[in-house]
Amino acid sequence: MLKSCANSTINTEFGVFDIHIYVSADGKEQIVLTRGDVSAAEPILLRIHSECITSEVLHSLDCDCVAQLTLAFKKIDEANRGMIIYLRQEGRGIGLVNKIKSYELQHQGMDTVEAHEILGFPIDARDYSVVKDILEDRRVTEIIALTNNPDKIKQLSALGIAVIKREALEISPTATNRKYLSAKKTKMGHWLDLV
Ligand SMILES: [Zn+2]
């Protein structure tokens, strides 16, 4: 059973959060932010967010990751209760080297799904199994998933996680990310009404 290795609080633009660091079996430091009593019976808002260093650190406008993360912070702050699990699986799980290779292929005209296929990866290589351990350790029983991704809900349910409801985190497309969002909608089935 995974246990948190360090716990404290952080002041953010969206108020104070408790922070818990877990080290998963692969040695990666997984980040968990919580607000309020997440172990109480009422389902919690939960954003399971996969690392996107290009948008979150490098200010890339080629995807919607940082905008979704920011919206999740806002929603949890407004509800004054919830959790963000930040998983260290860059590039839908293929890592930064392959993500940048994929970007280069996209500059040559492929979409994100075609680029992953050319590089020999599944469309989405993310793994959420660590989430179950984290939720158990924090004694969370039921969640409202903040996501546009039907596959994520399928995977969480398959892990035995009680997803009671979904709330969209939809961002208006921009000139630089419209093609990416369109591929997510048409090829990966993401629920994106604005694309
Ligand atoms: Zn991204």
Side-chain angles (χ1 to χ4, degrees):
M1 173 76 181
L2 203 58
K3 291 275 170 206
S4 58
C5 298
N7 306 282
S8 187
T9 58
I10 57 165
N11 294 298
T12 76
E13 276 176 53
F14 307 98
V16 181
F17 282 80
D18 293 310
I19 179 166
H20 314 278
I21 307 299
Y22 290 80
V23 179
S24 46
D26 54 10
K28 290 188 175 157
E29 295 171 320
Q30 313 291 357
I31 304 169
V32 179
L33 298 180
T34 63
R35 169 74 62 79
D37 180 5
V38 295
S39 67
E42 279 283 288
I44 60 157
L45 289 177
L46 172 64
R47 171 63 185 170
I48 299 167
H49 189 88
S50 298
E51 173 180 326
C52 175
I53 205 166
T54 46
S55 72
E56 293 156 9
V57 178
L58 305 179
H59 303 277
S60 161
L61 300 173
D62 293 324
C63 62
D64 63 339
C65 305
V66 72
Q68 283 197 66
L69 181 60
T70 304
L71 189 53
F73 267 94
K74 279 185 191 153
K75 281 178 178 271
I76 291 166
D77 183 36
E78 277 163 24
N80 203 24
R81 184 164 176 262
M83 177 185 275
I84 294 171
I85 300 180
Y86 185 89
L87 297 177
R88 312 303 289 279
Q89 44 185 353
E90 181 73 39
R92 294 204 302 275
I94 66 173
L96 194 53
V97 167
N98 291 308
K99 183 182 190 179
I100 299 305
K101 285 183 181 173
S102 157
Y103 274 17
E104 189 52 25
L105 292 170
Q106 289 174 65
H107 294 326
Q108 292 164 22
M110 286 176 207
D111 68 31
T112 179
V113 171
E114 292 162 344
H116 275 231
E117 281 168 352
I118 291 279
L119 292 169
F121 292 104
I123 292 171
D124 193 335
R126 287 177 291 187
D127 172 12
Y128 303 103
S129 48
V130 69
V131 170
K132 189 171 168 59
D133 283 345
I134 291 170
L135 293 179
E136 277 178 14
D137 189 48
R138 303 249 64 89
R139 292 178 291 130
V140 172
T141 49
E142 294 182 337
I143 66 160
I144 299 165
L146 294 170
T147 183
N148 306 321
N149 180 359
D151 182 59
K152 191 182 281 180
I153 293 189
K154 213 168 85 186
Q155 286 203 46
L156 296 177
S157 300
L159 287 167
I161 295 166
V163 184
I164 301 302
K165 220 177 105 187
R166 171 189 87 94
E167 267 192 39
L169 279 183
E170 192 158 6
I171 312 298
S172 291
T174 62
T176 48
N177 69 18
R178 186 178 299 274
K179 188 178 173 195
Y180 171 78
L181 292 177
S182 170
K184 267 185 164 180
K185 179 176 182 172
T186 58
K187 296 199 170 173
M188 298 169 68
H190 284 214
W191 294 299
L192 295 169
D193 293 333
L194 302 176
V195 181

